[in-house]
Amino acid sequence: MHSPYDGDRGQGAGGDHAGQVPLPSQQAQDPYIQDAYTPDPYQSQDLSAQDPVSEALYDRAAHPPPLPGTYAEPQPLYRQPSAPQHAPDPRVWAQTPPPEPDGPSRHLSYGDDATTTEFVGVDALVTRAGEELPEPDAFAHLYRDQQGAGASTSTPEPEPAPAPAPKKSGGRAASLLKSSAVMAAGTLVSRLTGFVRSLMITAALGAALLGDTYTVAYTLPTMIYILTVGGGLNSVFVPQLVRSMKNDEDGGEAYANRLLTLVMVALGVIVGFAVLIAPLLIRAMSSTIAADPAANNVAISFARYCLPTIFFMGVHVVMGQILNARGKFGAMMWTPVLNNIVMIFTFGLFIWVYGSSAESRMGVTTIPPEGIRLLGIGTLLGLVVQALAMIPYLRETGFRFRPRFDWKGHGLGKTVKLAKWTVLFVLANQAGVLVVTQLATAAGEASGKDGAGFLAYSNAQLIWGMPQAIITVSVMAALLPRISRAAHDDDPGAVRDDISQGLRNSAVAIVPVSFAFLALGVPMCTLLYASSGTEAARSMGFILMAFGLGLIPYSVQYVVLRGFYAYEDTRTPFYNTVIVAAVNAAASALCYVLLPAQWAVVGMAASYGLAYAVGVGVAWRRLRNRLGGDLDGAHVVRTYARLGIASIPAAIAGGAVGFFALKTLGEGALGSLTALVAGGAVLLAIFFVAAKRMRIEELNAMVGMVRGRLGR
């Protein structure tokens, strides 16, 4: 009754298994050997063991058993494994952790070498940011293109390896992190101070004809510099500069002196010629201003103060690239802040002396010559300070400028082939800018109202472009090295995945921000540009609303073009820029002809986004074909569509709240601030709830990352 169940053992209770060999001892119940004498359970499935022919033909005489005494010592079947070398000792309270393994410990994508790749986080910015190593040659592919025509196809003999330099305590990743952090911080501060500078210009000169006149004169030197020297300088001379600093015996100092001397001479000639033909340049920029005698005189006076800044722009760029080649990146990004500070002080002084535009109602006929002189000298002084501030950094690196005129035979003339597409790219882009400048100034003058001209267009575009510069550029700065590496390894799938990731990650912020511009553009501008007058600020708000949704194709275009640059293709971006510029110019001309003068610039702002939407369609198709017909389009479109669906009700609700706040409290500072804060809060809340319910994975990942950072 109480005996154990024994029905599975065979014929009888407690009997032997059928066909089994009894255990030698029933008393030794070692669990490790209790089944050692059981038959092989797989023997019935082994066909070779059951083959009688093979058994009969097996020659046992040819395979005698080993001699006595030569048997290997039997190894125990089971034994206790030896303890690990760094096993935890329960007797020690705080034991030293085991060392990290020497070899690679994980699989890395895109061909990275795990023995040389270092994984770092944000904490390295604080703990290891003080260590530097020379940067890799970022312009090697340009040098190869330049040397490709006359290079020999034979492989040169390898040179003996130089003696290893004393190793510093840090790694290259820490230096890159430090350089990236310094450059990003400098760029952000520069853009913020530039925005404050724009506010001061609008407050001092207004958004009518006088403000347009100064803006045209201030834009003219930058356009001439880019068209003449700037485009080729960065794409041709700078790569040669980096190469000479790596290979020349003097560290490239002689080449840098030749380049700086050549640029100074060329820019000096350009400045002298531009100052002489300033009236013609003003007419080329804006025939409307040139047709008004008072405005034309003021514009020419401003231009003759601003045109010498071309010289200091070029000198600043060359000095900055010399510093970059020597591993010093901060100066080139931070010195423009000094220019903005000088200009902010200059226009603040102008307002202190003459009052703001809303108070003085100053125009092109009433601005005194002393006021023109003050603003002109302040504008020029800002660029002078920016350029001269580079000299102490150059001296710190050991560079001493000595003019050298022996330009021939040192590679300075090999520029045309390499710079061709870059120069054409700049020409196409500036041609579109020139058309919009002409039409916007003409529309502003014809409307007779403030905030309907080129200055209003420029101010709205400045606000509109800041999310792109902060968000999309930052996302692609992290992804571009991976995209370039994957393109170099001929891995189109990796390029596609990274382009898709860049588009979707940036869209999480770009899409709702673009709808926020559409919904809250008016309170933004009435708050920021209140000093220019309510009418002008409201007009800028309408222009910003028209720009709003164009931020989406503008951001997509930026990301897609990085795919061509990863393949070192500059021809396709040039063709794409020609298409964008042509569509923008044609649509802007239609707006100028068909719309009332007051709304023409609003239509031009919408045309800008339309042009980039067309450009995205062309660039997307070309990049998709280059990557084998797949650009993860379904995934990207689904993400943008979901974000757009979440943004539409948010924009409607936020815009309604802002509209009622402005109607209730007015368009003053209090009403604009209330409308912007309340409308923005409603827009953000509704967008977040809708996006969470639609389970947009990119938003969830971003929220998880932020929560992890805050909770750490």
Side-chain angles (χ1 to χ4, degrees):
M1 175 177 172
H2 296 288
S3 61
Y5 175 70
D6 206 16
D8 291 337
R9 288 187 173 270
Q11 300 284 335
D16 295 338
H17 292 265
Q20 288 187 350
V21 181
L23 294 176
S25 175
Q26 295 293 339
Q27 298 177 355
Q29 294 297 330
D30 190 343
Y32 293 101
I33 64 172
Q34 61 181 359
D35 295 325
Y37 296 95
T38 57
D40 184 5
Y42 300 101
Q43 186 174 4
S44 60
Q45 303 176 15
D46 189 359
L47 299 180
S48 63
Q50 302 173 10
D51 185 9
V53 177
S54 299
E55 180 69 19
L57 295 178
Y58 184 74
D59 188 3
R60 297 186 181 278
H63 301 84
L67 298 176
T70 62
Y71 290 96
E73 291 293 333
Q75 299 293 332
L77 293 177
Y78 303 97
R79 61 180 175 181
Q80 189 71 17
S82 59
Q85 182 180 1
H86 300 282
D89 189 351
R91 299 169 297 179
V92 180
W93 180 70
Q95 189 174 358
T96 303
E100 294 292 334
D102 294 334
S105 58
R106 60 173 291 184
H107 172 72
L108 300 178
S109 57
Y110 310 129
D112 288 338
D113 185 1
T115 60
T116 59
T117 302
E118 184 176 7
F119 296 91
V120 295
V122 178
D123 295 337
L125 288 171
V126 179
T127 59
R128 304 177 59 192
E131 303 157 353
E132 297 182 0
L133 280 181
E135 298 299 324
D137 186 0
F139 303 99
H141 66 278
L142 296 176
Y143 180 78
R144 289 196 303 270
D145 292 344
Q146 177 184 330
Q147 299 295 331
S152 175
T153 58
S154 61
T155 304
E157 293 294 332
E159 299 181 358
K167 186 177 180 181
K168 295 185 179 181
S169 58
R172 180 171 57 185
S175 177
L176 288 173
L177 281 172
K178 177 189 175 183
S179 302
S180 300
V182 170
M183 294 171 70
T187 302
L188 180 60
V189 175
S190 177
R191 288 187 177 274
L192 291 176
T193 53
F195 181 68
V196 175
R197 179 199 66 200
S198 174
L199 294 178
M200 296 296 293
I201 293 174
T202 306
L205 302 179
L209 184 59
L210 178 59
D212 288 350
T213 300
Y214 176 82
T215 304
V216 168
Y218 181 70
T219 307
L220 182 60
T222 303
M223 183 176 294
I224 295 175
Y225 167 75
I226 293 175
L227 289 174
T228 55
V229 177
L233 187 63
N234 287 323
S235 64
V236 180
F237 288 110
V238 170
Q240 295 182 11
L241 175 67
V242 174
R243 179 67 60 179
S244 67
M245 289 185 174
K246 287 182 175 292
N247 297 334
D248 292 357
E249 296 180 356
D250 62 348
E253 185 164 349
Y255 185 91
N257 280 314
R258 293 188 190 97
L259 175 61
L260 189 53
T261 304
L262 176 62
V263 170
M264 293 174 70
V265 171
L267 292 177
V269 173
I270 292 172
V271 167
F273 184 68
V275 170
L276 290 177
I277 63 170
L280 298 178
L281 294 175
I282 294 297
R283 182 174 296 276
M285 288 288 291
S286 175
S287 57
T288 303
I289 292 177
D292 188 323
N296 187 51
N297 291 333
V298 173
I300 293 173
S301 300
F302 277 137
R304 284 177 171 157
Y305 282 109
C306 295
L307 285 171
T309 60
I310 299 173
F311 177 85
F312 297 99
M313 288 181 193
V315 171
H316 175 263
V317 169
V318 176
M319 288 182 174
Q321 296 296 352
I322 293 174
L323 287 172
N324 289 350
R326 295 168 183 261
K328 303 295 183 182
F329 299 92
M332 192 172 183
M333 298 299 168
W334 281 95
T335 46
V337 177
L338 299 177
N339 173 35
N340 293 332
I341 291 175
V342 171
M343 292 191 64
I344 291 171
F345 176 79
T346 299
F347 280 89
L349 186 60
F350 182 90
I351 294 174
W352 182 66
V353 173
Y354 299 103
S356 66
S357 174
E359 298 170 350
S360 65
R361 306 303 300 175
M362 187 179 293
V364 292
T365 58
T366 57
I367 183 172
E370 295 80 8
I372 297 176
R373 192 177 304 116
L374 172 62
L375 298 181
I377 293 176
T379 302
L380 176 59
L381 183 62
L383 266 296
V384 173
V385 171
Q386 174 179 307
L388 294 181
M390 305 291 285
I391 296 177
Y393 295 97
L394 285 174
R395 297 182 66 87
E396 184 181 356
T397 62
F399 178 80
R400 298 294 184 271
F401 173 61
R402 297 177 180 85
R404 298 194 61 157
F405 298 91
D406 51 338
W407 303 329
K408 189 175 181 180
H410 294 281
L412 294 176
K414 301 177 181 178
T415 61
V416 176
K417 181 178 179 180
L418 194 57
K420 176 177 64 176
W421 295 111
T422 302
V423 172
L424 292 175
F425 178 95
V426 170
L427 286 172
N429 192 29
Q430 295 302 314
V433 173
L434 185 62
V435 171
V436 172
T437 303
Q438 287 274 9
L439 296 176
T441 52
E445 178 66 15
S447 68
K449 295 185 177 181
D450 294 347
F454 182 59
L455 178 61
Y457 181 93
S458 300
N459 288 342
Q461 191 179 38
L462 180 64
I463 300 175
W464 174 78
M466 288 188 70
Q468 157 77 10
I470 296 173
I471 299 169
T472 308
V473 174
S474 299
V475 170
M476 292 310 298
L479 286 177
L480 189 58
R482 288 171 49 180
I483 297 174
S484 301
R485 187 162 55 246
H488 181 267
D489 295 340
D490 195 18
D491 189 354
V495 175
R496 176 206 62 203
D497 293 342
D498 287 335
I499 292 290
S500 174
Q501 182 182 355
L503 288 169
R504 291 182 285 108
N505 288 350
S506 59
V508 173
I510 291 296
V511 172
V513 167
S514 65
F515 278 90
F517 286 147
L518 178 63
L520 303 172
V522 172
M524 284 184 192
C525 291
T526 53
L527 177 64
L528 296 174
Y529 296 105
S531 59
S532 62
T534 303
E535 181 185 23
R538 189 188 309 113
S539 298
M540 284 186 240
F542 292 141
I543 297 172
L544 180 58
M545 292 174 64
F547 268 121
L549 295 183
L551 184 63
I552 298 175
Y554 184 67
S555 174
V556 174
Q557 169 93 339
Y558 180 87
V559 177
V560 171
L561 290 186
R562 302 311 105 177
F564 295 107
Y565 291 140
Y567 285 100
E568 302 176 11
D569 179 8
T570 56
R571 180 182 300 183
T572 303
F574 159 69
Y575 289 135
N576 196 261
T577 302
V578 170
I579 294 172
V580 171
V583 174
N584 186 27
S588 298
L590 286 176
C591 292
Y592 178 77
V593 173
L594 299 177
L595 296 177
Q598 180 182 356
W599 299 100
V601 177
V602 177
M604 293 177 197
S607 301
Y608 197 79
L610 174 64
Y612 274 96
V614 175
V616 165
V618 176
W620 183 278
R621 186 177 66 253
R622 290 183 176 179
L623 184 59
R624 183 185 60 192
N625 295 336
R626 176 145 197 174
L627 297 180
D630 184 14
L631 200 52
D632 199 19
H635 194 184
V636 172
V637 171
R638 184 167 61 251
T639 300
Y640 275 81
R642 285 180 164 185
L643 290 169
I645 293 172
S647 300
I648 290 174
I652 293 174
V657 171
F659 176 78
F660 285 115
L662 288 178
K663 287 298 182 180
T664 303
L665 302 177
E667 295 181 344
L670 178 60
S672 300
L673 180 61
T674 304
L676 186 58
V677 172
V682 171
L683 187 149
L684 182 61
I686 295 178
F687 168 78
F688 182 77
V689 171
K692 288 287 288 184
R693 287 190 174 275
M694 286 189 288
R695 298 179 181 178
I696 300 175
E697 57 183 9
E698 290 78 14
L699 177 65
N700 295 335
M702 184 181 70
V703 172
M705 180 187 67
V706 172
R707 286 179 176 175
R709 291 293 179 188
L710 295 178
R712 187 174 61 178

